[in-house]
């Protein structure tokens, strides 16, 4: 079996490629590709598709279909390339995952174009996630330059809707992940350079409280005040914080009533539960259902509906092995790299939910996401791409991390 590429060779290549990386990053950042801008997303998809074809990948382009809002989604890309080893002999299938959409409206790229200030690049999506997605492509290119192909299959997944919870791409992500042996997610690293070893999962609930309307001035006693019942329930739900380890509960939306002279007959609560453990999400959801069955106001009734569940990216033993390898490789490259957990959600959650070990935060160092101050540390780019390439190489055969 051919040896793995030397880290100094990878680093030499990524340093030499930095000017082209920045030129390509400017091209991508100059395209408005908000989650609700399918034409812009598809322009980015065109660029990525062409780039992957030139690297010898076959690219499946999947129409995104319709978002829950009724709007058209951008396309999904799944690029594949077979390596020199066979899966039947224990070689592994590696998934790289990034997203093409941003949180910004059309026109932002013109009003806030790509700029460089010292070692920082700025612009919409420069860190989240165009810088990371491009890093994945450059990592593949670095391995190609050193002649490394010791894997069963290398797959790049680029999604159009991560910033809005991946409502369209989720089935594709789940199916693609299920066929992989491990996954490396391309969100940019934390501001201190840390990788992401765990992400909380989220359960979104809608609680509908029904009562009975009545004239508030003449005969309020004939009504059953749904808003009052909802108010009691909000307090009870917020008091769930601290009851379960590593679980947060937030009643983020409260709606009730139509006119001030009517006893409200209906109220609605939107509740979010977050936890790093799937079991804790389930336990807390059952606690919400128990509270909803409590008769807070006579004549009212509450019904709980689970509107969405995003599984947690849990810190399993296989993930810890993958992270330990990344930290070792980072040290060999002279990088200060740690591993952190975060409450934010990403496509890595969906991959983890498919039972695949996944490590996130493998793009360059960045910060200020979702804001006009978004930045990417250009000085971190060569080292982080070299680290990603080295981790791909370590993960490709039976001797790689999390091979169990």
């Amino acid at each position: 079996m051919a040896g793995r590429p030397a880290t100094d060779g990878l680093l030499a290549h990524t340093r030499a490629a930095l000017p082209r990386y920045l030129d390509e990053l400017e091209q991508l950042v100059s395209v408005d590709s908000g989650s609700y801008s399918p034409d812009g997303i598809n322009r980015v998809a065109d660029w990525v598709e062409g780039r992957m074809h030139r690297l010898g990948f076959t690219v499946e382009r999947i129409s995104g279909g319709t978002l829950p809002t009724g709007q058209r989604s951008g396309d999904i890309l799944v690029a594949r390339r077979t390596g020199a080893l066979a899966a039947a002999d224990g070689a592994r299938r590696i998934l790289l995952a990034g997203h093409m959409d941003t949180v910004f409206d059309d026109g932002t790229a013109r009003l806030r174009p790509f700029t460089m200030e010292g070692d920082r690049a700025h612009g919409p999506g420069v860190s989240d996630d165009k810088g990371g997605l491009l890093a994945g492509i450059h990592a593949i290119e670095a391995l190609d330059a050193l002649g490394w192909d010791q894997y069963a299959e290398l797959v790049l997944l680029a999604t159009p809707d991560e910033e809005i919870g991946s409502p369209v791409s989720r089935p594709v992500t789940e199916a693609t992940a299920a066929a992989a042996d491990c996954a490396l997610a391309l969100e940019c690293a934390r501001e201190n350079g840390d990788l992401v070893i765990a992400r909380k999962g989220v359960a979104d609930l809608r609680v509908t409280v029904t009562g009975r309307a009545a004239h508030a001035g003449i005969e309020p006693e004939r009504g059953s005040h749904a808003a009052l019942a909802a108010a009691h329930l909000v307090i009870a739900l917020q008091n769930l914080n601290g009851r379960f380890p590593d679980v947060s509960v937030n009643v983020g939306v409260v709606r009730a009533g139509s006119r001030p002279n009517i006893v409200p007959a209906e109220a609605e609560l939107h509740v979010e539960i977050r936890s790093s453990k799937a079991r804790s999400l389930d336990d807390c959801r059952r606690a919400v259902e128990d509270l909803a069955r409590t008769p807070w106001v006579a004549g009212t009734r509450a019904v709980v509906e689970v509107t969405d569940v995003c599984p947690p990216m849990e810190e399993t033993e296989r993930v810890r092995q993958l992270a330990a390898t990344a930290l070792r490789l980072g040290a060999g490259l002279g990088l200060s790299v740690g591993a952190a957990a975060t409450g934010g959600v990403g496509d890595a959650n969906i991959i983890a939910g498919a039972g695949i070990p996944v490590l996130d935060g493998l793009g360059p160092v960045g910060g200020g996401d979702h804001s006009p101050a978004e930045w990417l540390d250009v000085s971190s780019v060569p080292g982080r791409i070299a680290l990603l390439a080295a981790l791909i190489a370590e993960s490709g055969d039976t001797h790689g991390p999390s091979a169990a």
Side-chain angles (χ1 to χ4, degrees):
M1 184 175 294
R4 293 170 182 148
T7 52
D8 56 351
L10 290 172
L11 194 54
H13 178 87
T14 57
R15 283 173 175 162
L18 179 59
R20 184 161 52 84
Y21 174 93
L22 293 175
D23 177 67
E24 292 177 338
L25 182 59
E26 181 174 6
Q27 294 175 41
L28 293 175
V29 170
S30 297
V31 179
D32 286 311
S33 60
S35 308
Y36 300 106
S37 303
D39 292 338
I41 290 170
N42 286 346
R43 284 177 61 195
V44 174
D46 291 341
W47 191 97
V48 174
E49 182 177 13
R51 197 74 159 71
M52 299 310 290
H53 277 309
R54 290 195 295 277
L55 289 171
F57 283 67
T58 60
V59 182
E60 180 183 11
R61 186 156 175 164
I62 303 164
S63 174
T66 304
L67 296 168
T69 58
Q71 297 166 271
R72 180 169 60 92
S73 169
D75 294 344
I76 307 160
L77 296 183
V78 184
R80 301 177 181 275
R81 193 174 70 185
T82 302
L85 305 180
D89 296 329
R92 303 170 72 211
R93 298 157 297 185
I94 305 164
L95 171 63
L96 306 181
H99 63 92
M100 300 177 286
D101 61 323
T102 74
V103 299
F104 301 105
D105 295 332
D106 286 349
T108 305
R110 176 180 55 82
L111 295 172
R112 190 161 50 83
F114 180 88
T115 57
M116 288 285 300
E117 297 178 7
D119 280 338
R120 288 193 172 188
H122 298 274
V126 69
S127 169
D128 187 17
D129 180 35
K130 292 177 178 178
L133 181 62
L134 185 59
I137 295 171
H138 273 249
I140 295 168
E141 204 168 53
L143 291 168
D144 288 353
L146 273 65
W148 182 85
D149 59 0
Q150 302 297 293
Y151 55 90
E153 186 181 43
L154 197 54
V155 182
L156 177 77
L157 171 68
T159 58
D161 56 349
E162 188 272 348
E163 296 291 6
I164 53 173
S166 307
V168 166
S169 65
R170 181 170 179 168
V172 176
T173 300
E174 290 172 334
T176 305
D181 295 300
C182 70
L184 307 174
L186 303 174
E187 296 283 358
C188 281
R190 305 297 91 179
E191 293 188 15
N192 64 355
D194 281 356
L195 305 173
V196 176
I197 198 171
R199 290 181 178 274
K200 285 188 175 182
V202 179
D204 291 325
L205 314 178
R206 179 167 54 234
V207 183
T208 303
V209 183
T210 54
R212 185 170 55 252
H215 194 297
I218 299 174
E219 47 188 14
E221 70 282 355
R222 293 194 174 187
S224 296
H225 207 298
L228 180 58
H232 283 288
L233 189 52
V234 168
I235 295 170
L237 292 174
Q238 290 296 141
N239 283 337
L240 288 175
N241 284 290
R243 178 171 164 186
F244 302 94
D246 195 38
V247 174
S248 62
V249 179
N250 184 59
V251 183
V253 177
V254 180
R255 298 192 184 105
S258 58
R259 297 180 62 159
N261 60 349
I262 300 174
V263 174
E266 187 170 281
E268 185 175 274
L269 310 177
H270 292 197
V271 185
E272 179 191 84
I273 306 170
R274 290 191 185 233
S275 176
S276 60
K277 302 292 183 184
R279 180 174 178 177
S280 297
L281 278 181
D282 289 340
D283 289 345
C284 191
R285 175 185 52 79
R286 285 190 289 270
V288 170
E289 292 168 347
D290 289 343
L291 289 171
R293 284 190 285 270
T294 303
W296 299 101
V297 172
T300 63
R301 177 174 178 266
V303 175
V304 179
E305 176 189 0
V306 180
T307 57
D308 190 33
V309 176
C310 182
M313 172 187 163
E314 297 197 30
E315 185 183 336
T316 65
E317 179 57 33
R318 294 171 74 192
V319 172
R320 283 191 287 271
Q321 292 172 6
L322 197 55
T325 300
L327 268 57
R328 172 176 56 80
L329 292 169
L333 287 161
L335 304 179
S336 176
V337 181
T342 178
V345 201
D347 281 340
N349 292 68
I350 298 171
I351 295 168
I356 306 304
V358 55
L359 191 62
D360 203 353
L362 284 160
V365 175
D369 296 356
H370 299 190
S371 80
E374 183 178 2
W375 56 271
L376 187 81
D377 181 355
V378 172
S379 68
S380 76
V381 170
R384 301 300 296 211
I385 295 177
L387 170 59
L388 175 58
L391 188 56
I392 294 170
E394 285 274 347
S395 302
D397 59 49
T398 54
H399 302 289
S402 65

